[in-house]
Amino acid sequence: MRTQVAIIGGGPSGLLLGQLLARCGIESVVLERQTKAYVLGRIRAGVLERGLVELLREAGCAARLEREGFVHDGVLIAYDNKQFRLDFKELTGEHVTVYGQTEVTTDLYAAREASGGVIHYEVEDVVIEGAEGDAPFVTYRIGGKNHRLDCDFVAGCDGFHGVSRKTIPEAVRTEYEKVYPFGWLGILSETPPVDPELIYACSERGFALCSMRNEALSRYYVQCDVADDLEEWSDQAFWDELRRRIPAAAADALVTGPSIEKSIAPLRSFVCEPMRWGRLFLCGDAAHIVPPTGAKGLNTAASDVHYLYTGLRQFYEEKDAEGLDQYSERALARVWKAERFSWWFTSTMHRFPGQADFDLKMQQAELAFLRSSRDAQAAVATNYVGLPY
Ligand code: RFL
Ligand code: PHB
């Protein structure tokens, strides 16, 4: 089999890239290790920057998002019994859109299926060959049968645990990593959100986040020990802990109910450089991870897709490799800024085990400064709504 772009991974990065390419007549094949139901069962991101919304529009996949997504003009930040609002609209003129990653992925799958684009599921033993030369190909197995896919380019969209990054020889790649000494315990519940806007709360018991998917579906997180046993976190224990960490008015207003999903995510900052090796291009979580505090993971994946899609288009339509040659540099320049913001917000809002009193005072001063300074708020809001591509 032959295609123009072999896309490894059918998560949001791979599917968005495939749809954008399809709209300008560039063929691709998506190879996904899991079933579609498994991919759609993962509850992840909820906050979309304008850049991602525009890419979804360009891919012809934004109709439902435009009907069902929620425009958010600000977020609340709570600490030490104080609370203030970051007013995105006033500070930046921009907003974010609340629409779940699950919904984005559902819409992308529907579009790919409607346009007859190829996706192979339950693909095993993917191996990328010849990426350093002119004739790359991918071998894999489905149901015990061996396959080979020849292509012009390989897009490595297979997430943090995929094979694409590891295909780049160790001597060529440099990995930068910071693992945080805590995780996030998240639950999804069919209850109305406690507030119309997201609440990021820094309390002496640790961080908490109140988020949502729609008027009847809430998403909440509390900072936890990454080694915690999920089984030991009953719904009741979760709600009790959340109430202790959020502002009193929110705790009083909180409507609780059974969780319909519950999971613990570790927190990590990670970047792989370069993001290109010959004809292999890494995109999204395959190349970098941010802790979820800034809501930047999916959004940074989207900016990679933008740079790669633009480069591929330039290559096929204008026979110009400039965009592909600049891909790694352009993508990384934006990635590092998102890494900085996510690291700063994480460091400011969480309790660290064994934290020195001095460091605690620094966090408090950071938040007090943010509360009192419009300039500081504008800088945070500019990052939160998303830096330009
Ligand atoms: P994904 O979503 O991991 O998809 C990769 C796909 O590749 C498949 N795969 C393979 N396929 C073939 N062969 C192999 N060898 C393969 N190995 C893996 C996998 O099955 C999978 O389907 O990466 P992608 O597409 O780059 O998308 C990245 C986003 O999923 C991720 O950055 C975000 O979810 C991060 N994130 C958030 N991002 C935001 O922008 N805003 C948020 O509000 C936000 N909240 C979150 C988050 C991530 C979280 N967790 C659980 C990590 C909240 C949480 C709790
Ligand atoms: C979510 O709704 O899942 C969410 C929102 C904001 C974040 C992280 C996760 O910073």
Side-chain angles (χ1 to χ4, degrees):
M1 206 183 357
R2 180 168 179 90
T3 191
Q4 289 174 298
V5 183
I7 300 178
I8 319 294
S13 303
L15 291 171
L16 179 56
L17 178 66
Q19 267 333 92
L20 288 164
L21 294 176
R23 297 280 281 198
C24 52
I26 302 169
E27 257 181 43
S28 64
V29 168
V30 174
L31 303 176
E32 168 56 51
R33 187 174 56 182
Q34 306 287 354
T35 62
K36 180 172 148 187
Y38 182 94
V39 175
L40 294 179
R42 290 190 294 228
I43 309 296
R44 287 182 167 184
V47 177
L48 316 186
E49 295 173 359
R50 188 183 59 164
L52 171 51
V53 171
E54 278 172 9
L55 278 178
L56 288 165
R57 255 185 222 131
E58 196 170 340
C61 300
R64 194 161 69 95
L65 179 151
E66 265 151 16
R67 283 196 313 273
E68 298 176 17
F70 294 85
V71 168
H72 280 222
D73 290 327
V75 293
L76 298 173
I77 299 199
Y79 73 101
D80 277 355
N81 303 320
K82 297 179 192 77
Q83 183 175 318
F84 61 94
R85 178 166 185 263
L86 281 182
D87 186 334
F88 302 149
K89 202 167 168 195
E90 196 268 317
L91 293 161
T92 68
E94 301 270 350
H95 62 261
V96 291
T97 303
V98 168
Y99 189 70
Q101 177 169 332
T102 313
E103 308 312 320
V104 171
T105 315
T106 302
D107 297 345
L108 287 166
Y109 270 121
R112 184 147 189 107
E113 284 161 11
S115 64
V118 182
I119 309 184
H120 294 300
Y121 298 101
E122 297 185 83
V123 164
E124 295 172 309
D125 299 336
V126 168
V127 179
I128 301 163
E129 305 268 14
E132 72 280 33
D134 284 341
F137 62 96
V138 181
T139 60
Y140 54 96
R141 281 189 309 121
I142 304 177
K145 199 160 172 268
N146 294 322
H147 296 268
R148 170 177 167 142
L149 176 63
D150 290 279
C151 55
D152 299 333
F153 300 102
V154 180
C157 303
D158 49 352
F160 184 65
H161 300 287
V163 296
S164 299
R165 186 178 67 255
K166 292 166 203 144
T167 303
I168 303 180
E170 271 180 39
V172 175
R173 82 183 127 99
T174 307
E175 296 184 346
Y176 301 85
E177 185 173 47
K178 180 177 179 67
V179 176
Y180 299 85
F182 41 73
W184 277 18
L185 168 66
I187 71 163
L188 192 65
S189 80
E190 286 168 326
T191 51
V194 66
D195 192 275
E197 293 189 335
L198 271 66
I199 305 176
Y200 287 85
C202 169
S203 90
E204 60 185 26
R205 297 182 65 89
F207 172 77
L209 170 61
C210 306
S211 182
M212 67 203 70
R213 293 293 176 268
N214 58 49
E215 308 92 334
L217 193 58
S218 298
R219 180 76 167 151
Y220 296 103
Y221 298 95
V222 294
Q223 174 186 349
C224 67
D225 192 324
V226 78
D228 276 2
D229 181 356
L230 199 55
E231 301 302 313
E232 289 185 8
W233 274 99
S234 66
D235 287 357
Q236 192 57 49
F238 179 90
W239 294 120
D240 289 347
E241 190 55 38
L242 180 66
R243 265 199 211 91
R244 292 187 196 109
R245 296 185 187 193
I246 60 179
D252 291 343
L254 185 70
V255 178
T256 64
S259 63
I260 54 170
E261 194 268 353
K262 194 189 285 171
S263 52
I264 294 179
L267 266 66
R268 176 198 310 271
S269 298
F270 176 89
V271 180
C272 167
E273 293 191 13
M275 287 172 58
R276 174 208 184 163
W277 183 56
R279 287 180 173 247
L280 167 64
F281 296 83
L282 302 182
C283 242
D285 280 15
H288 41 75
I289 296 287
V290 285
T293 324
K296 289 284 161 257
L298 178 60
N299 291 303
T300 312
S303 59
D304 294 350
V305 168
H306 161 80
Y307 296 121
L308 183 52
Y309 155 66
T310 314
L312 287 167
R313 231 183 132 166
Q314 197 180 349
F315 179 87
Y316 284 111
E317 291 177 359
E318 297 162 32
K319 311 237 168 322
D320 181 353
E322 185 268 346
L324 293 178
D325 290 340
Q326 294 299 314
Y327 169 73
S328 182
E329 207 178 305
R330 284 186 185 142
L332 282 166
R334 192 175 186 281
V335 162
W336 277 114
K337 291 178 197 149
E339 291 284 343
R340 185 206 67 82
F341 176 66
S342 306
W343 158 82
W344 169 82
F345 204 22
T346 303
S347 309
T348 302
M349 297 297 289
H350 291 74
R351 282 291 153 119
F352 286 70
Q355 192 164 13
D357 289 346
F358 182 84
D359 294 337
L360 201 53
K361 285 286 185 191
M362 289 299 99
Q363 281 184 330
Q364 289 163 350
E366 189 84 41
L367 288 165
F369 176 59
L370 184 59
R371 181 167 173 242
S372 64
S373 160
R374 190 189 182 279
D375 288 348
Q377 289 187 9
V380 173
T382 301
N383 281 277
Y384 195 95
V385 299
L387 297 175
Y389 286 1

